[in-house]
Amino acid sequence: MSLFRKIFGSSISASDEEKEKEKNSSSPDMTTMSIDEQFIYNFKKNGGKFLYCETLEEVKEQFENILQENDWYESNVLCYEPKLFSLLDENKLTYVKGVEPKFLFSHCENLIAEEGSILFCSKQIKQHKPNELPINIVVVATTSQIVAIKSDGLSTIKKKYESDIPTNITAIKYFEKAKEEDFTQYGSVAKNLYLLLLEDL
């Protein structure tokens, strides 16, 4: 049985978020947590919606649930990755340039455990700054993409692309508007972000 299944059960949907927040309201000791647990804890603390999937079929199923929950069927989507087009086609979603998109659909480079953020580069978001991206984002990632700190993620990108280092490397960290004035969020735009995390370890 996988670590995520033991910790979080089958899948944690957006509607279960409040119950989970109450249950985990006391801050755990980060030094005793694995990097997987740290990432999920910090990601959810930042307001991200986490959906754990054991198979690609579950990824498809959870993606359809997100579309249904938000009434995004037959919408236009911002997506730059041909590997994801088939999932959009299956759900009658278009990805026409120049038409206002409902959400960004993409992979990412890494998931940063220390801050619960998602690291993107120009391969996923071209030259868009976070504030130029749609407010809604759906990311497909794998458990092997979780790294401890941001510098590990940058090293991974350097190793992965070697001679063709991508540009516009950026981390998105805030997934809900701050309830009170928070100077750490100054200049950043909160995103409504769903993470479809596929177990691959």
Side-chain angles (χ1 to χ4, degrees):
M1 189 181 211
S2 98
L3 169 71
F4 285 101
R5 185 71 78 191
K6 282 184 208 161
I7 299 168
F8 301 106
S10 175
S11 64
I12 296 174
S13 68
S15 59
D16 294 331
E17 287 294 307
E18 290 307 314
K19 287 180 214 161
E20 286 297 316
K21 278 182 187 169
E22 286 169 21
K23 202 165 76 179
N24 298 324
S25 58
S26 57
S27 291
D29 178 7
M30 290 291 178
T31 57
T32 62
M33 295 173 89
S34 70
I35 64 163
D36 300 347
E37 292 171 297
Q38 277 180 44
F39 170 74
I40 297 303
Y41 176 81
N42 289 324
F43 175 75
K44 289 175 65 187
K45 192 174 77 174
N46 293 343
K49 298 174 181 78
F50 164 78
L51 297 148
Y52 170 71
C53 307
E54 284 191 328
T55 64
L56 282 169
E57 274 311 307
E58 279 185 44
V59 170
K60 288 181 181 182
E61 195 180 304
Q62 294 291 6
F63 180 62
E64 287 169 16
N65 291 341
I66 292 167
L67 296 178
Q68 191 171 359
E69 180 183 320
N70 294 283
D71 194 20
W72 286 342
Y73 282 108
E74 297 181 21
S75 300
N76 194 56
V77 179
L78 182 64
C79 182
Y80 294 113
E81 298 171 84
K83 286 182 179 177
L84 294 173
F85 291 168
S86 62
L87 197 49
L88 297 176
D89 293 335
E90 279 174 37
N91 289 286
K92 297 183 174 64
L93 296 162
T94 56
Y95 34 98
V96 182
K97 287 179 181 66
V99 179
E100 188 69 27
K102 282 274 195 222
F103 64 96
L104 167 71
F105 186 48
S106 78
H107 289 114
C108 66
E109 290 301 329
N110 287 105
L111 307 170
I112 314 299
E114 180 185 51
E115 57 183 30
S117 65
I118 300 188
L119 194 63
F120 296 94
C121 74
S122 53
K123 301 288 183 186
Q124 296 92 35
I125 60 174
K126 299 296 182 193
Q127 297 309 314
H128 295 291
K129 294 179 177 72
N131 64 330
E132 297 168 345
L133 295 170
I135 203 79
N136 302 302
I137 299 176
V138 180
V139 174
V140 179
T142 58
T143 51
S144 62
Q145 287 178 281
I146 299 173
V147 294
I149 54 177
K150 200 180 284 180
S151 60
D152 292 343
L154 298 173
S155 298
T156 304
I157 289 173
K158 199 173 174 184
K159 205 178 292 178
K160 181 177 174 182
Y161 296 105
E162 286 181 0
S163 59
D164 184 25
I165 305 283
T167 55
N168 195 25
I169 298 167
T170 187
I172 295 179
K173 179 179 177 182
Y174 300 107
F175 312 116
E176 66 183 0
K177 203 160 172 52
K179 290 168 184 65
E180 296 162 20
E181 278 305 312
D182 181 356
F183 76 93
T184 61
Q185 287 198 32
Y186 184 75
S188 60
V189 181
K191 300 294 184 183
N192 176 35
L193 193 141
Y194 292 86
L195 173 63
L196 296 167
L197 187 64
L198 176 64
E199 174 71 66
D200 72 337
L201 292 172

